[in-house]
């Protein structure tokens, strides 16, 4: 797979998240996906995302920068949202916060098999 | 510049940091470099790094994952070190902490012109 092809798949994955098209998630995420060192599998991955949207009703994933170097993708995702209560252990309580997630993905069989994600918690703290 | 060529320059930049070869830093970092939205310039960048080594004498940059998609590079840097006193506002006080930095770079004229870095502060907190 070429870099541009993999980037295209990644953009479709982000569109899947933003439309909360959960039945399609398995087209992009591997059955045995590992997230930050924990093998949560596709069902655990879906639960995590469903939980994120429950906690943050106005959640939206915006790609600010995208690198594709097969079999890896890296992106800076930017968020501007109002977590209802708590997020990352911070009592946000409906206030608006803007922050970035710097995240790396390894693809296998055309699907996301491993994710290494860091959210800019320090930036969020500075806004509260 | 090709992806492999840019990756090679990046590896040389990391070697420059690990040997604290500050007179060579300008070979890798642009005069007007922007770090997390602030234009600190080469001198400010050098000061930041010198300060990091003063605060963390056993600091070492290890590349865990490297993507090169010109003009961008993204890497996961892993650290295993003992900050002497405080780091990211946390009272580490000489304890050993392991954490990652997920960092993106934009190159211009063969040098790092912009950096978007997030350090995994939550992982560090969990160890203290």
């Amino acid at each position: 797979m070429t870099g541009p092809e993999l980037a295209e798949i990644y953009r479709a994955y982000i569109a899947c998240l933003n439309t909360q098209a959960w039945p399609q998630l398995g087209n992009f995420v591997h059955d045995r996906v590992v997230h930050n060192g924990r093998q949560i599998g596709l069902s655990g991955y879906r639960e995590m995302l469903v939980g994120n949207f429950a906690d943050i009703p106005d959640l939206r994933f915006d790609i600010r920068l995208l690198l594709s170097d097969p079999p890896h993708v890296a992106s800076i995702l930017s968020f501007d949202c109002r977590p209802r209560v708590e997020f990352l252990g911070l009592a946000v309580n409906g206030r608006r916060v803007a922050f970035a997630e710097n995240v790396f993905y390894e693809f296998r069989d055309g699907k996301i098999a491993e994710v290494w994600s860091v959210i800019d918690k320090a930036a969020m703290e500075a806004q509260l």
Side-chain angles (χ1 to χ4, degrees), chain A:
Chain A
M1 187 156 352
T2 67
E5 283 166 353
L6 193 59
E8 205 50 46
I9 291 176
Y10 181 74
R11 290 186 189 281
Y13 159 72
I14 291 296
C16 173
L17 302 192
N18 280 328
T19 54
Q20 302 180 51
W22 306 133
Q24 275 73 62
L25 190 66
N27 298 338
F28 303 105
V29 176
H30 201 280
D31 279 344
R32 297 169 59 80
V33 64
V34 174
H35 184 274
N36 283 351
R38 291 195 314 128
Q39 195 193 294
I40 58 176
L42 174 58
S43 61
Y45 203 90
R46 189 192 299 115
E47 275 167 37
M48 177 182 72
L49 287 163
V50 168
N52 289 342
F53 277 96
D55 293 341
I56 312 172
D58 63 348
L59 183 60
R60 191 185 154 74
F61 296 76
D62 277 322
I63 301 171
R64 190 167 134 195
L65 182 61
L66 173 56
L67 275 71
S68 181
D69 187 358
H72 295 105
V73 162
S75 78
I76 300 180
L77 298 173
S78 82
F79 301 92
D80 186 344
C81 57
R82 296 172 180 75
R84 288 192 310 165
V85 185
E86 200 178 85
F87 188 59
L88 299 182
L90 299 173
V92 182
N93 294 325
R95 277 171 291 183
R96 180 179 169 183
V97 283
F99 58 92
E101 176 182 359
N102 285 12
V103 56
F104 291 69
Y105 306 84
E106 184 167 303
F107 281 71
R108 204 165 55 234
D109 312 326
K111 296 182 181 183
I112 294 168
E114 184 145 12
V115 181
W116 298 267
S117 156
V118 181
I119 291 173
D120 194 352
K121 185 176 178 182
M124 212 178 312
E125 286 169 338
Q127 296 167 62
L128 296 176

